[in-house]
mmCIF file of all heavy atoms in Angstrom:
data_model
loop_
_atom_site.group_PDB
_atom_site.id
_atom_site.type_symbol
_atom_site.label_atom_id
_atom_site.label_comp_id
_atom_site.label_asym_id
_atom_site.label_seq_id
_atom_site.Cartn_x
_atom_site.Cartn_y
_atom_site.Cartn_z
ATOM 1 N N MET A 1 3.671 1.555 -7.574
ATOM 2 C CA MET A 1 4.845 0.725 -7.345
ATOM 3 C C MET A 1 6.105 1.588 -7.258
ATOM 4 O O MET A 1 6.990 1.343 -6.432
ATOM 5 C CB MET A 1 4.986 -0.318 -8.450
ATOM 6 C CG MET A 1 6.187 -1.255 -8.291
ATOM 7 S SD MET A 1 6.194 -2.197 -6.728
ATOM 8 C CE MET A 1 4.849 -3.343 -7.044
ATOM 9 N N ALA A 2 6.208 2.589 -8.121
ATOM 10 C CA ALA A 2 7.353 3.505 -8.073
ATOM 11 C C ALA A 2 7.390 4.258 -6.742
ATOM 12 O O ALA A 2 8.457 4.456 -6.155
ATOM 13 C CB ALA A 2 7.282 4.496 -9.233
ATOM 14 N N GLU A 3 6.226 4.655 -6.238
ATOM 15 C CA GLU A 3 6.151 5.333 -4.944
ATOM 16 C C GLU A 3 6.538 4.385 -3.813
ATOM 17 O O GLU A 3 7.197 4.794 -2.855
ATOM 18 C CB GLU A 3 4.739 5.879 -4.720
ATOM 19 C CG GLU A 3 4.581 6.784 -3.506
ATOM 20 C CD GLU A 3 5.346 8.086 -3.612
ATOM 21 O OE1 GLU A 3 5.579 8.548 -4.730
ATOM 22 O OE2 GLU A 3 5.724 8.640 -2.559
ATOM 23 N N HIS A 4 6.124 3.134 -3.914
ATOM 24 C CA HIS A 4 6.490 2.128 -2.920
ATOM 25 C C HIS A 4 8.009 1.952 -2.831
ATOM 26 O O HIS A 4 8.582 1.879 -1.744
ATOM 27 C CB HIS A 4 5.813 0.797 -3.247
ATOM 28 C CG HIS A 4 6.356 -0.383 -2.503
ATOM 29 N ND1 HIS A 4 6.294 -0.500 -1.127
ATOM 30 C CD2 HIS A 4 7.009 -1.497 -2.964
ATOM 31 C CE1 HIS A 4 6.875 -1.643 -0.759
ATOM 32 N NE2 HIS A 4 7.314 -2.259 -1.861
ATOM 33 N N ARG A 5 8.661 1.906 -3.994
ATOM 34 C CA ARG A 5 10.117 1.738 -4.008
ATOM 35 C C ARG A 5 10.821 2.931 -3.364
ATOM 36 O O ARG A 5 11.910 2.786 -2.809
ATOM 37 C CB ARG A 5 10.600 1.549 -5.444
ATOM 38 C CG ARG A 5 10.131 0.253 -6.106
ATOM 39 C CD ARG A 5 10.886 -0.012 -7.386
ATOM 40 N NE ARG A 5 10.378 -1.193 -8.093
ATOM 41 C CZ ARG A 5 9.573 -1.138 -9.136
ATOM 42 N NH1 ARG A 5 9.191 0.042 -9.622
ATOM 43 N NH2 ARG A 5 9.150 -2.275 -9.713
ATOM 44 N N LYS A 6 10.224 4.109 -3.447
ATOM 45 C CA LYS A 6 10.830 5.316 -2.886
ATOM 46 C C LYS A 6 10.729 5.396 -1.363
ATOM 47 O O LYS A 6 11.482 6.116 -0.723
ATOM 48 C CB LYS A 6 10.167 6.564 -3.489
ATOM 49 C CG LYS A 6 10.647 6.919 -4.870
ATOM 50 C CD LYS A 6 9.903 8.120 -5.382
ATOM 51 C CE LYS A 6 10.033 9.310 -4.418
ATOM 52 N NZ LYS A 6 9.284 10.480 -4.907
ATOM 53 N N GLN A 7 9.768 4.685 -0.779
ATOM 54 C CA GLN A 7 9.512 4.808 0.645
ATOM 55 C C GLN A 7 10.700 4.341 1.481
ATOM 56 O O GLN A 7 11.401 3.389 1.130
ATOM 57 C CB GLN A 7 8.269 4.010 1.036
ATOM 58 C CG GLN A 7 6.969 4.543 0.438
ATOM 59 C CD GLN A 7 6.636 5.930 0.912
ATOM 60 O OE1 GLN A 7 6.691 6.247 2.106
ATOM 61 N NE2 GLN A 7 6.302 6.805 -0.029
ATOM 62 N N SER A 8 10.917 5.017 2.585
ATOM 63 C CA SER A 8 11.989 4.654 3.505
ATOM 64 C C SER A 8 11.564 3.475 4.384
ATOM 65 O O SER A 8 10.410 3.369 4.792
ATOM 66 C CB SER A 8 12.360 5.852 4.380
ATOM 67 O OG SER A 8 13.245 5.469 5.408
ATOM 68 N N ARG A 9 12.507 2.609 4.676
ATOM 69 C CA ARG A 9 12.245 1.477 5.561
ATOM 70 C C ARG A 9 12.233 1.876 7.028
ATOM 71 O O ARG A 9 11.860 1.083 7.890
ATOM 72 C CB ARG A 9 13.273 0.381 5.328
ATOM 73 C CG ARG A 9 13.200 -0.263 3.952
ATOM 74 C CD ARG A 9 14.155 -1.427 3.798
ATOM 75 N NE ARG A 9 14.013 -2.051 2.496
ATOM 76 C CZ ARG A 9 13.134 -3.009 2.199
ATOM 77 N NH1 ARG A 9 12.321 -3.469 3.153
ATOM 78 N NH2 ARG A 9 13.066 -3.524 0.983
ATOM 79 N N LYS A 10 12.654 3.114 7.315
ATOM 80 C CA LYS A 10 12.738 3.584 8.696
ATOM 81 C C LYS A 10 11.482 4.309 9.157
ATOM 82 O O LYS A 10 11.406 4.732 10.308
ATOM 83 C CB LYS A 10 13.955 4.498 8.849
ATOM 84 C CG LYS A 10 15.291 3.821 8.566
ATOM 85 C CD LYS A 10 16.440 4.797 8.725
ATOM 86 C CE LYS A 10 17.775 4.113 8.427
ATOM 87 N NZ LYS A 10 18.919 5.071 8.574
ATOM 88 N N LYS A 11 10.515 4.492 8.252
ATOM 89 C CA LYS A 11 9.300 5.210 8.606
ATOM 90 C C LYS A 11 8.483 4.439 9.642
ATOM 91 O O LYS A 11 8.358 3.222 9.580
ATOM 92 C CB LYS A 11 8.441 5.437 7.353
ATOM 93 C CG LYS A 11 9.013 6.455 6.373
ATOM 94 C CD LYS A 11 8.757 7.876 6.838
ATOM 95 C CE LYS A 11 9.170 8.898 5.780
ATOM 96 N NZ LYS A 11 8.913 10.285 6.218
ATOM 97 N N ALA A 12 7.926 5.201 10.600
ATOM 98 C CA ALA A 12 7.051 4.588 11.592
ATOM 99 C C ALA A 12 5.748 4.141 10.936
ATOM 100 O O ALA A 12 5.342 4.658 9.892
ATOM 101 C CB ALA A 12 6.768 5.579 12.717
ATOM 102 N N THR A 13 5.079 3.177 11.550
ATOM 103 C CA THR A 13 3.852 2.626 10.976
ATOM 104 C C THR A 13 2.630 3.400 11.440
ATOM 105 O O THR A 13 2.603 3.973 12.530
ATOM 106 C CB THR A 13 3.695 1.148 11.355
ATOM 107 O OG1 THR A 13 3.648 1.033 12.788
ATOM 108 C CG2 THR A 13 4.858 0.330 10.820
ATOM 109 N N GLY A 14 1.600 3.391 10.595
ATOM 110 C CA GLY A 14 0.339 4.017 10.943
ATOM 111 C C GLY A 14 -0.565 3.065 11.704
ATOM 112 O O GLY A 14 -0.105 2.097 12.309
ATOM 113 N N VAL A 15 -1.875 3.317 11.654
ATOM 114 C CA VAL A 15 -2.823 2.486 12.410
ATOM 115 C C VAL A 15 -2.900 1.076 11.853
ATOM 116 O O VAL A 15 -3.350 0.161 12.534
ATOM 117 C CB VAL A 15 -4.229 3.127 12.415
ATOM 118 C CG1 VAL A 15 -4.209 4.451 13.157
ATOM 119 C CG2 VAL A 15 -4.763 3.310 10.996
ATOM 120 N N ASP A 16 -2.459 0.873 10.603
ATOM 121 C CA ASP A 16 -2.482 -0.470 10.018
ATOM 122 C C ASP A 16 -1.334 -1.336 10.505
ATOM 123 O O ASP A 16 -1.368 -2.568 10.345
ATOM 124 C CB ASP A 16 -2.456 -0.393 8.493
ATOM 125 C CG ASP A 16 -1.235 0.362 7.952
ATOM 126 O OD1 ASP A 16 -0.531 1.019 8.765
ATOM 127 O OD2 ASP A 16 -0.985 0.308 6.730
ATOM 128 N N GLY A 17 -0.305 -0.732 11.098
ATOM 129 C CA GLY A 17 0.834 -1.489 11.600
ATOM 130 C C GLY A 17 1.730 -2.061 10.512
ATOM 131 O O GLY A 17 2.581 -2.907 10.793
ATOM 132 N N ILE A 18 1.567 -1.614 9.275
ATOM 133 C CA ILE A 18 2.336 -2.146 8.136
ATOM 134 C C ILE A 18 3.457 -1.190 7.767
ATOM 135 O O ILE A 18 3.229 0.018 7.632
ATOM 136 C CB ILE A 18 1.417 -2.382 6.920
ATOM 137 C CG1 ILE A 18 0.352 -3.437 7.253
ATOM 138 C CG2 ILE A 18 2.228 -2.815 5.698
ATOM 139 C CD1 ILE A 18 -0.660 -3.641 6.144
ATOM 140 N N ASP A 19 4.674 -1.723 7.608
ATOM 141 C CA ASP A 19 5.789 -0.933 7.133
ATOM 142 C C ASP A 19 6.201 -1.414 5.738
ATOM 143 O O ASP A 19 5.577 -2.323 5.169
ATOM 144 C CB ASP A 19 6.969 -0.984 8.103
ATOM 145 C CG ASP A 19 7.483 -2.394 8.350
ATOM 146 O OD1 ASP A 19 7.023 -3.333 7.650
ATOM 147 O OD2 ASP A 19 8.338 -2.576 9.235
ATOM 148 N N LYS A 20 7.238 -0.840 5.202
ATOM 149 C CA LYS A 20 7.657 -1.185 3.846
ATOM 150 C C LYS A 20 8.072 -2.645 3.738
ATOM 151 O O LYS A 20 7.744 -3.321 2.749
ATOM 152 C CB LYS A 20 8.801 -0.281 3.390
ATOM 153 C CG LYS A 20 9.252 -0.561 1.959
ATOM 154 C CD LYS A 20 10.313 0.398 1.478
ATOM 155 C CE LYS A 20 10.711 0.099 0.038
ATOM 156 N NZ LYS A 20 11.691 1.065 -0.494
ATOM 157 N N ALA A 21 8.786 -3.146 4.728
ATOM 158 C CA ALA A 21 9.255 -4.533 4.689
ATOM 159 C C ALA A 21 8.086 -5.501 4.620
ATOM 160 O O ALA A 21 8.097 -6.474 3.856
ATOM 161 C CB ALA A 21 10.123 -4.824 5.906
ATOM 162 N N ALA A 22 7.050 -5.220 5.422
ATOM 163 C CA ALA A 22 5.872 -6.094 5.415
ATOM 164 C C ALA A 22 5.106 -5.982 4.103
ATOM 165 O O ALA A 22 4.583 -6.971 3.585
ATOM 166 C CB ALA A 22 4.965 -5.744 6.594
ATOM 167 N N TYR A 23 5.038 -4.768 3.566
ATOM 168 C CA TYR A 23 4.306 -4.562 2.314
ATOM 169 C C TYR A 23 5.027 -5.164 1.118
ATOM 170 O O TYR A 23 4.403 -5.502 0.107
ATOM 171 C CB TYR A 23 4.082 -3.063 2.083
ATOM 172 C CG TYR A 23 2.918 -2.752 1.164
ATOM 173 C CD1 TYR A 23 1.618 -2.719 1.655
ATOM 174 C CD2 TYR A 23 3.121 -2.486 -0.180
ATOM 175 C CE1 TYR A 23 0.543 -2.427 0.826
ATOM 176 C CE2 TYR A 23 2.064 -2.198 -1.025
ATOM 177 C CZ TYR A 23 0.770 -2.168 -0.518
ATOM 178 O OH TYR A 23 -0.302 -1.883 -1.352
ATOM 179 N N ASP A 24 6.349 -5.292 1.226
ATOM 180 C CA ASP A 24 7.150 -5.882 0.155
ATOM 181 C C ASP A 24 6.691 -7.287 -0.204
ATOM 182 O O ASP A 24 6.803 -7.724 -1.350
ATOM 183 C CB ASP A 24 8.627 -5.902 0.550
ATOM 184 C CG ASP A 24 9.400 -4.763 -0.095
ATOM 185 O OD1 ASP A 24 8.965 -4.272 -1.160
ATOM 186 O OD2 ASP A 24 10.439 -4.371 0.456
ATOM 187 N N GLU A 25 6.192 -8.025 0.791
ATOM 188 C CA GLU A 25 5.667 -9.356 0.535
ATOM 189 C C GLU A 25 4.374 -9.236 -0.281
ATOM 190 O O GLU A 25 3.391 -8.672 0.182
ATOM 191 C CB GLU A 25 5.396 -10.084 1.854
ATOM 192 C CG GLU A 25 6.632 -10.266 2.731
ATOM 193 C CD GLU A 25 6.305 -10.957 4.027
ATOM 194 O OE1 GLU A 25 5.190 -11.510 4.123
ATOM 195 O OE2 GLU A 25 7.145 -10.943 4.953
ATOM 196 N N HIS A 26 4.416 -9.725 -1.457
ATOM 197 C CA HIS A 26 3.258 -9.669 -2.362
ATOM 198 C C HIS A 26 2.874 -8.224 -2.692
ATOM 199 O O HIS A 26 1.682 -7.875 -2.787
ATOM 200 C CB HIS A 26 2.048 -10.398 -1.764
ATOM 201 C CG HIS A 26 2.353 -11.759 -1.228
ATOM 202 N ND1 HIS A 26 2.741 -12.813 -2.029
ATOM 203 C CD2 HIS A 26 2.352 -12.219 0.051
ATOM 204 C CE1 HIS A 26 2.955 -13.880 -1.282
ATOM 205 N NE2 HIS A 26 2.736 -13.554 -0.011
ATOM 206 N N ALA A 27 3.865 -7.368 -2.886
ATOM 207 C CA ALA A 27 3.606 -5.945 -3.131
ATOM 208 C C ALA A 27 2.783 -5.729 -4.399
ATOM 209 O O ALA A 27 1.853 -4.928 -4.423
ATOM 210 C CB ALA A 27 4.918 -5.167 -3.221
ATOM 211 N N ARG A 28 3.115 -6.459 -5.457
ATOM 212 C CA ARG A 28 2.396 -6.276 -6.725
ATOM 213 C C ARG A 28 0.931 -6.663 -6.590
ATOM 214 O O ARG A 28 0.046 -5.978 -7.122
ATOM 215 C CB ARG A 28 3.075 -7.074 -7.831
ATOM 216 C CG ARG A 28 4.458 -6.546 -8.206
ATOM 217 C CD ARG A 28 4.966 -7.123 -9.499
ATOM 218 N NE ARG A 28 6.260 -6.558 -9.858
ATOM 219 C CZ ARG A 28 6.408 -5.388 -10.483
ATOM 220 N NH1 ARG A 28 5.332 -4.688 -10.846
ATOM 221 N NH2 ARG A 28 7.627 -4.940 -10.778
ATOM 222 N N GLU A 29 0.676 -7.761 -5.885
ATOM 223 C CA GLU A 29 -0.706 -8.182 -5.678
ATOM 224 C C GLU A 29 -1.466 -7.172 -4.814
ATOM 225 O O GLU A 29 -2.632 -6.848 -5.082
ATOM 226 C CB GLU A 29 -0.753 -9.561 -5.018
ATOM 227 C CG GLU A 29 -0.256 -10.698 -5.918
ATOM 228 C CD GLU A 29 1.273 -10.857 -5.874
ATOM 229 O OE1 GLU A 29 1.954 -9.947 -5.337
ATOM 230 O OE2 GLU A 29 1.778 -11.878 -6.400
ATOM 231 N N ARG A 30 -0.801 -6.648 -3.792
ATOM 232 C CA ARG A 30 -1.430 -5.653 -2.908
ATOM 233 C C ARG A 30 -1.791 -4.382 -3.687
ATOM 234 O O ARG A 30 -2.885 -3.830 -3.524
ATOM 235 C CB ARG A 30 -0.496 -5.291 -1.758
ATOM 236 C CG ARG A 30 -0.288 -6.402 -0.729
ATOM 237 C CD ARG A 30 0.791 -5.956 0.243
ATOM 238 N NE ARG A 30 1.118 -6.964 1.215
ATOM 239 C CZ ARG A 30 0.664 -7.006 2.483
ATOM 240 N NH1 ARG A 30 -0.156 -6.078 2.896
ATOM 241 N NH2 ARG A 30 1.019 -7.957 3.315
ATOM 242 N N ILE A 31 -0.867 -3.923 -4.519
ATOM 243 C CA ILE A 31 -1.097 -2.688 -5.278
ATOM 244 C C ILE A 31 -2.177 -2.896 -6.328
ATOM 245 O O ILE A 31 -3.018 -2.017 -6.562
ATOM 246 C CB ILE A 31 0.219 -2.187 -5.903
ATOM 247 C CG1 ILE A 31 1.120 -1.629 -4.795
ATOM 248 C CG2 ILE A 31 -0.038 -1.130 -6.974
ATOM 249 C CD1 ILE A 31 2.491 -1.213 -5.249
ATOM 250 N N ALA A 32 -2.187 -4.057 -6.957
ATOM 251 C CA ALA A 32 -3.236 -4.356 -7.939
ATOM 252 C C ALA A 32 -4.607 -4.336 -7.266
ATOM 253 O O ALA A 32 -5.581 -3.796 -7.823
ATOM 254 C CB ALA A 32 -2.971 -5.711 -8.590
ATOM 255 N N ALA A 33 -4.697 -4.915 -6.085
ATOM 256 C CA ALA A 33 -5.953 -4.908 -5.333
ATOM 257 C C ALA A 33 -6.339 -3.488 -4.911
ATOM 258 O O ALA A 33 -7.517 -3.120 -4.920
ATOM 259 C CB ALA A 33 -5.830 -5.817 -4.114
ATOM 260 N N LEU A 34 -5.341 -2.677 -4.550
ATOM 261 C CA LEU A 34 -5.581 -1.290 -4.166
ATOM 262 C C LEU A 34 -6.164 -0.496 -5.327
ATOM 263 O O LEU A 34 -7.137 0.253 -5.172
ATOM 264 C CB LEU A 34 -4.278 -0.648 -3.678
ATOM 265 C CG LEU A 34 -4.290 0.868 -3.427
ATOM 266 C CD1 LEU A 34 -5.305 1.230 -2.350
ATOM 267 C CD2 LEU A 34 -2.892 1.353 -3.038
ATOM 268 N N VAL A 35 -5.574 -0.652 -6.520
ATOM 269 C CA VAL A 35 -6.068 0.048 -7.706
ATOM 270 C C VAL A 35 -7.501 -0.369 -8.020
ATOM 271 O O VAL A 35 -8.346 0.453 -8.383
ATOM 272 C CB VAL A 35 -5.142 -0.217 -8.911
ATOM 273 C CG1 VAL A 35 -5.748 0.337 -10.198
ATOM 274 C CG2 VAL A 35 -3.769 0.400 -8.668
ATOM 275 N N GLU A 36 -7.801 -1.655 -7.881
ATOM 276 C CA GLU A 36 -9.153 -2.149 -8.138
ATOM 277 C C GLU A 36 -10.148 -1.547 -7.146
ATOM 278 O O GLU A 36 -11.268 -1.161 -7.535
ATOM 279 C CB GLU A 36 -9.162 -3.681 -8.061
ATOM 280 C CG GLU A 36 -10.514 -4.320 -8.377
ATOM 281 C CD GLU A 36 -10.965 -4.094 -9.808
ATOM 282 O OE1 GLU A 36 -10.130 -3.735 -10.659
ATOM 283 O OE2 GLU A 36 -12.176 -4.264 -10.062
ATOM 284 N N ARG A 37 -9.773 -1.469 -5.873
ATOM 285 C CA ARG A 37 -10.636 -0.844 -4.868
ATOM 286 C C ARG A 37 -10.873 0.636 -5.180
ATOM 287 O O ARG A 37 -11.970 1.169 -4.990
ATOM 288 C CB ARG A 37 -10.025 -0.992 -3.477
ATOM 289 C CG ARG A 37 -10.265 -2.374 -2.883
ATOM 290 C CD ARG A 37 -9.413 -2.741 -1.720
ATOM 291 N NE ARG A 37 -9.067 -1.650 -0.842
ATOM 292 C CZ ARG A 37 -7.827 -1.472 -0.393
ATOM 293 N NH1 ARG A 37 -6.857 -2.310 -0.751
ATOM 294 N NH2 ARG A 37 -7.564 -0.483 0.421
ATOM 295 N N MET A 38 -9.826 1.316 -5.645
ATOM 296 C CA MET A 38 -9.970 2.727 -5.989
ATOM 297 C C MET A 38 -10.899 2.891 -7.191
ATOM 298 O O MET A 38 -11.707 3.826 -7.243
ATOM 299 C CB MET A 38 -8.607 3.347 -6.285
ATOM 300 C CG MET A 38 -7.687 3.440 -5.083
ATOM 301 S SD MET A 38 -6.178 4.388 -5.409
ATOM 302 C CE MET A 38 -6.840 6.057 -5.451
ATOM 303 N N ARG A 39 -10.800 1.990 -8.154
ATOM 304 C CA ARG A 39 -11.652 2.047 -9.342
ATOM 305 C C ARG A 39 -13.116 1.913 -8.970
ATOM 306 O O ARG A 39 -13.982 2.552 -9.560
ATOM 307 C CB ARG A 39 -11.238 0.964 -10.334
ATOM 308 C CG ARG A 39 -11.934 1.049 -11.680
ATOM 309 C CD ARG A 39 -11.489 -0.081 -12.591
ATOM 310 N NE ARG A 39 -11.924 -1.379 -12.105
ATOM 311 C CZ ARG A 39 -13.157 -1.879 -12.308
ATOM 312 N NH1 ARG A 39 -14.054 -1.178 -12.991
ATOM 313 N NH2 ARG A 39 -13.464 -3.069 -11.838
ATOM 314 N N LYS A 40 -13.406 1.067 -7.974
ATOM 315 C CA LYS A 40 -14.774 0.813 -7.531
ATOM 316 C C LYS A 40 -15.203 1.776 -6.416
ATOM 317 O O LYS A 40 -16.300 1.629 -5.868
ATOM 318 C CB LYS A 40 -14.911 -0.625 -7.040
ATOM 319 C CG LYS A 40 -14.695 -1.672 -8.116
ATOM 320 C CD LYS A 40 -14.807 -3.074 -7.540
ATOM 321 C CE LYS A 40 -14.625 -4.140 -8.612
ATOM 322 N NZ LYS A 40 -14.704 -5.518 -8.049
ATOM 323 N N PHE A 41 -14.325 2.716 -6.047
ATOM 324 C CA PHE A 41 -14.569 3.673 -4.960
ATOM 325 C C PHE A 41 -14.787 2.988 -3.611
ATOM 326 O O PHE A 41 -15.522 3.465 -2.758
ATOM 327 C CB PHE A 41 -15.754 4.594 -5.297
ATOM 328 C CG PHE A 41 -15.536 5.426 -6.520
ATOM 329 C CD1 PHE A 41 -16.165 5.108 -7.706
ATOM 330 C CD2 PHE A 41 -14.672 6.502 -6.488
ATOM 331 C CE1 PHE A 41 -15.939 5.858 -8.842
ATOM 332 C CE2 PHE A 41 -14.444 7.258 -7.627
ATOM 333 C CZ PHE A 41 -15.077 6.936 -8.804
ATOM 334 N N GLN A 42 -14.146 1.832 -3.455
ATOM 335 C CA GLN A 42 -14.206 1.105 -2.191
ATOM 336 C C GLN A 42 -13.042 1.479 -1.271
ATOM 337 O O GLN A 42 -13.016 1.097 -0.104
ATOM 338 C CB GLN A 42 -14.188 -0.400 -2.448
ATOM 339 C CG GLN A 42 -15.406 -0.917 -3.210
ATOM 340 C CD GLN A 42 -15.291 -2.382 -3.579
ATOM 341 O OE1 GLN A 42 -14.220 -2.985 -3.481
ATOM 342 N NE2 GLN A 42 -16.398 -2.971 -4.038
ATOM 343 N N TYR A 43 -12.064 2.213 -1.812
ATOM 344 C CA TYR A 43 -10.899 2.601 -1.034
ATOM 345 C C TYR A 43 -11.221 3.817 -0.170
ATOM 346 O O TYR A 43 -11.670 4.853 -0.676
ATOM 347 C CB TYR A 43 -9.721 2.907 -1.956
ATOM 348 C CG TYR A 43 -8.582 3.629 -1.278
ATOM 349 C CD1 TYR A 43 -7.762 2.978 -0.372
ATOM 350 C CD2 TYR A 43 -8.336 4.971 -1.534
ATOM 351 C CE1 TYR A 43 -6.720 3.644 0.269
ATOM 352 C CE2 TYR A 43 -7.298 5.645 -0.920
ATOM 353 C CZ TYR A 43 -6.500 4.983 -0.013
ATOM 354 O OH TYR A 43 -5.471 5.646 0.611
ATOM 355 N N LYS A 44 -11.003 3.688 1.122
ATOM 356 C CA LYS A 44 -11.179 4.789 2.055
ATOM 357 C C LYS A 44 -9.931 4.909 2.928
ATOM 358 O O LYS A 44 -9.541 3.926 3.567
ATOM 359 C CB LYS A 44 -12.416 4.578 2.931
ATOM 360 C CG LYS A 44 -13.734 4.690 2.182
ATOM 361 C CD LYS A 44 -14.910 4.587 3.125
ATOM 362 C CE LYS A 44 -16.222 4.741 2.373
ATOM 363 N NZ LYS A 44 -17.394 4.642 3.292
ATOM 364 N N PRO A 45 -9.293 6.076 2.943
ATOM 365 C CA PRO A 45 -8.093 6.248 3.779
ATOM 366 C C PRO A 45 -8.386 5.998 5.259
ATOM 367 O O PRO A 45 -9.471 6.325 5.751
ATOM 368 C CB PRO A 45 -7.711 7.718 3.542
ATOM 369 C CG PRO A 45 -8.378 8.091 2.253
ATOM 370 C CD PRO A 45 -9.633 7.295 2.198
ATOM 371 N N LEU A 46 -7.429 5.414 5.943
ATOM 372 C CA LEU A 46 -7.551 5.161 7.369
ATOM 373 C C LEU A 46 -7.197 6.417 8.167
ATOM 374 O O LEU A 46 -6.500 7.302 7.667
ATOM 375 C CB LEU A 46 -6.625 4.014 7.780
ATOM 376 C CG LEU A 46 -6.934 2.637 7.169
ATOM 377 C CD1 LEU A 46 -5.835 1.644 7.527
ATOM 378 C CD2 LEU A 46 -8.281 2.138 7.641
ATOM 379 N N PRO A 47 -7.677 6.513 9.398
ATOM 380 C CA PRO A 47 -7.297 7.661 10.229
ATOM 381 C C PRO A 47 -5.784 7.723 10.434
ATOM 382 O O PRO A 47 -5.101 6.695 10.461
ATOM 383 C CB PRO A 47 -8.019 7.396 11.558
ATOM 384 C CG PRO A 47 -9.110 6.442 11.235
ATOM 385 C CD PRO A 47 -8.610 5.609 10.105
ATOM 386 N N VAL A 48 -5.278 8.912 10.567
ATOM 387 C CA VAL A 48 -3.853 9.131 10.791
ATOM 388 C C VAL A 48 -3.525 8.879 12.254
ATOM 389 O O VAL A 48 -4.235 9.358 13.142
ATOM 390 C CB VAL A 48 -3.462 10.572 10.404
ATOM 391 C CG1 VAL A 48 -2.020 10.854 10.793
ATOM 392 C CG2 VAL A 48 -3.662 10.794 8.910
#
């Protein structure tokens, strides 16, 4: 969450098409789900 707050809103989007403004919606729920996926080793980085 601290890293999310640091991100610039001007950054271009990756293959997911998501920027900071879009991620801000339900950010806590998204990050909680991300941590859970990482715990289960289900998280895989997307291509750059």
